[in-house]
Structure formats: C-alpha cells, structure tokens
Amino acid sequence: MNISEFAKIAGVSKSAVSRYFNNGYLSREKTALIKAAIEKTGYAPSLSARSVKNKITKLVGVIIPKLSSESIARITEGISEVLSEQGYELLLVNTANDYNKEIDSLELFRNNWVYGIILMASVFTKLHKTVLDKIRVPVVILGQNYKGYNCVCHDDFGAAYALTRLMLDKGASDPACVGVRMDDLATGKLRFDGFMKALNEKGLSFHRENRETADFTFESGYEHARHLFSGRSRPDAVFCATDSIAAGVVLYCKENGIRIPRDVMVCGIGDSKLSRISSTTITSAHLHYKTAGIEAAKMLLSQIDHGKSAPRILQLGYEIVQRESTAG
C-alpha cells in the first residue's frame, strides 16, 4: 500500500500523512483518523525510502536482559556480525532482567523508527503480548519459543536431560537441582523438566529439599549450595541451570571439604569460560550462543527484505563437554 492509498482510507491528504510520520504539526482530528487507519491496515511508510530522504541511520533494536553475561556477549556478537555487514547499527537496551523494562523498551521501539527488533526475554506476560501485537516492524524472539513469532532457541530440555543422565550413569542416585524461576520457560522450566525426565527413566524419586531456585549468579549458586548441603542428607550430584550457578556450588564444596567428583558431581549449562578456568572445571553443555545471534539476525533481515511470513522456529543443538566435575 502506498501513501496515496493510505491517505484515501484515512480520509486525509498525503501531506497530512507525511506530517504525521515525520512528527510535524497535525490537528487532533486528523491525528485520530490516521491512527485509526494504521490500526485497521497496519500501514507503515517505507523505512528505506525515509532513510534515503532524511539520512536516517538504519537501526535495529536489540533488547537484552543484562550486560555482564558471557552468553549475551556471544549472542550480541553474532547479531552485530550479520547486521553490520548489511549497513545496520544496533540500538542496545539493557533491561537488567526486569520485564517491566522490556515492555518499556518494546514501546520505545514501537514508537520510534527501527527496522526491526530482536528480543531476548526470559518471562512473557500478557503485557508482552499486548505490545508485541501492536508492533508493525519485524520481531524475532531469541532464547525462547514464543508462539506466533519467529524464534531462535536452544534445546534446553535435551541439554539438561543429557547432563543429568550422564551423572546418573556414573553412579549418582540422589541428585539435586539448583535451577532458576519456572516462569522462565527455557532456562527454568525446560531445564528442570529435562532433569526430571532423566530421574524418572532411572526410577529415582526426587526429594523436595533437593531443589533450589537461584538467581543467574555465581554468588547465588554459592548461597544455595550452603542451604543444599546443610540438610541431614547430602546429594551425590548437582545439576545447575547455568555455569555461573555451578561455579558457585563448586566453590562452596571446595571451601567445605566436599570433594568433587568423589563426594558430589556438579554440572552446568553454557560452556562458559568460567566453567573451563576454575580450579575444578565444570562439565557443561555447550550452547551455540553466537550462532543463535547470527541466525536471529538473518531471520530478521529476511523479514525486513521480504515482509512478514508464517512464524518459524529454529532450535539449535548442544554438545556435552565432559570435565573433572563429573568425569572423575
């Protein structure tokens, strides 16, 4: 639909439409008519044409949960590598794991000129859906499988299952889980579900006191290990939702004479540098974070160039990297 066709539907002149999209003065009546027509048709002017005319930098909004994360850095590197080659620049917003800030960031990008949005969210609420449904530019969800949208995600369930099964096959019979909140469907629920599947296949019971819910930090892993190992019985294996959590568990064990892997096996997910350089290395699942960023950027470019299409889900695999903490 071109500007003339849209103006006719809105019942205003082409110049009024142009002033609206360029933040010029417009009466309330005409503004209301144009807004109503946008809601009806989903019309947006050509961004590429506006960029040439107004010398606007081609921007893509990228919403990330935190800056101090190796995995996020690897993902962002992949996104930047692809988009920069096509002349785009990233507009990064750090939400500090606050979903309200995610909503605000989506609203910011919805009301400003970006070519597309890549969202890394851990929790999806009704507000997320309300705002996402109003966004007219392409959106790719990275790290989660969110129905109705193009997504790039990891096999969180499979990685957790494989790691837990590895510890059980090596003799563990009373495993614990230090996970994260369950409303984080990927890192929380799917990884816990993978852990439980491995236990169920072995016919093992899971005791409630062997489950801890941590933050995504080394310090939180340490504190939850303190709680985990202060009970009457000690687990002989600990599955951790992330490598950072696992590193905290390992440090607590070392400081308190709990031998790894003789007394307890420990594993995490992410194959981070921390898992490789600590004094007791951590068996982990390597997730392809940079590849995820690359694929998300390619998926977004495809939508920008060819328009929105049926939602596509791309799930990336994993590799188990065995190290001392479980291998012995």
Side-chain angles (χ1 to χ4, degrees):
M1 178 185 299
N2 60 36
I3 189 172
S4 297
E5 293 168 334
F6 175 77
K8 186 176 181 179
I9 291 172
V12 298
S13 65
K14 287 198 305 180
S15 61
V17 175
S18 178
R19 288 198 301 274
Y20 175 87
F21 284 108
N22 286 284
N23 298 314
Y25 172 76
L26 203 60
S27 69
R28 289 184 180 180
E29 180 184 359
K30 290 182 178 179
T31 297
L33 288 171
I34 292 172
K35 285 184 176 180
I38 291 171
E39 289 295 324
K40 179 180 178 181
T41 64
Y43 173 79
S46 167
L47 285 170
S48 56
R50 294 185 75 251
S51 294
V52 172
K53 180 180 178 180
N54 300 325
K55 298 182 180 179
I56 298 172
T57 302
K58 296 198 297 183
L59 294 175
V60 167
V62 180
I63 302 172
I64 63 174
K66 57 183 176 179
L67 290 171
S68 57
S69 167
E70 182 185 340
S71 60
I72 299 301
R74 285 154 61 184
I75 289 170
T76 305
E77 181 183 357
I79 294 171
S80 179
E81 186 176 289
V82 172
L83 293 182
S84 62
E85 289 180 355
Q86 300 301 317
Y88 292 86
E89 293 188 18
L90 307 188
L91 186 57
L92 286 173
V93 177
N94 172 30
T95 64
N97 282 310
D98 183 342
Y99 75 82
N100 289 306
K101 289 184 179 179
E102 290 175 1
I103 301 297
D104 292 342
S105 301
L106 288 170
E107 286 282 13
L108 172 69
F109 291 143
R110 183 172 79 89
N111 293 314
N112 290 275
W113 290 109
V114 294
Y115 280 71
I117 300 169
I118 296 176
L119 170 63
M120 288 176 252
S122 57
V123 176
F124 285 93
T125 66
K126 290 182 179 179
L127 274 176
H128 280 83
K129 178 170 175 52
T130 297
V131 177
L132 285 167
D133 286 347
K134 294 179 180 178
I135 294 174
R136 302 303 179 187
V137 297
V139 177
V140 172
I141 309 296
L142 207 164
Q144 299 275 359
N145 184 342
Y146 190 58
K147 186 177 180 180
Y149 283 85
N150 286 279
C151 303
V152 177
C153 54
H154 306 282
D155 187 1
D156 295 281
F157 178 93
Y161 167 80
L163 285 166
T164 307
R165 186 62 190 244
L166 174 65
M167 294 190 293
L168 298 180
D169 288 345
K170 289 182 176 294
S173 60
D174 188 21
C177 174
V178 185
V180 297
R181 51 192 289 186
M182 293 290 278
D183 55 0
D184 181 333
L185 296 181
T187 310
K189 186 178 186 304
L190 287 177
R191 293 184 187 182
F192 181 73
D193 288 350
F195 168 82
M196 287 301 300
K197 180 185 178 183
L199 266 64
N200 291 334
E201 286 185 352
K202 286 284 189 176
L204 297 175
S205 299
F206 182 61
H207 307 293
R208 184 176 298 178
E209 60 270 22
N210 277 0
R211 182 176 178 181
E212 298 283 331
T213 302
D215 296 328
F216 290 81
T217 64
F218 174 94
E219 294 80 7
S220 184
Y222 184 96
E223 289 304 316
H224 283 280
R226 184 198 305 277
H227 187 265
L228 193 63
F229 287 99
S230 64
R232 293 182 181 179
S233 62
R234 290 180 170 180
D236 55 10
V238 183
F239 165 74
C240 302
T242 72
D243 282 350
S244 295
I245 294 171
V249 172
V250 166
L251 179 60
Y252 177 85
C253 290
K254 290 180 70 65
E255 290 183 351
N256 290 274
I258 303 170
R259 297 166 297 179
I260 298 175
R262 185 176 300 178
D263 298 328
V264 62
M265 305 178 203
V266 181
C267 66
I269 291 183
D271 190 25
S272 66
K273 291 179 181 177
L274 187 61
S275 73
R276 301 192 292 270
I277 65 175
S278 59
S279 56
T280 301
T281 53
I282 301 166
T283 290
S284 185
H286 178 82
L287 300 183
H288 301 279
Y289 290 119
K290 183 176 179 180
T291 301
I294 289 171
E295 293 299 332
K298 288 181 177 178
M299 192 177 285
L300 187 72
L301 286 176
S302 177
Q303 292 182 77
I304 292 172
D305 293 340
H306 304 109
K308 291 186 178 182
S309 57
R312 185 165 70 93
I313 307 299
L314 175 62
Q315 184 182 81
L316 303 177
Y318 61 88
E319 286 85 41
I320 300 300
V321 184
Q322 291 196 50
R323 300 194 179 100
E324 181 182 347
S325 57
T326 57

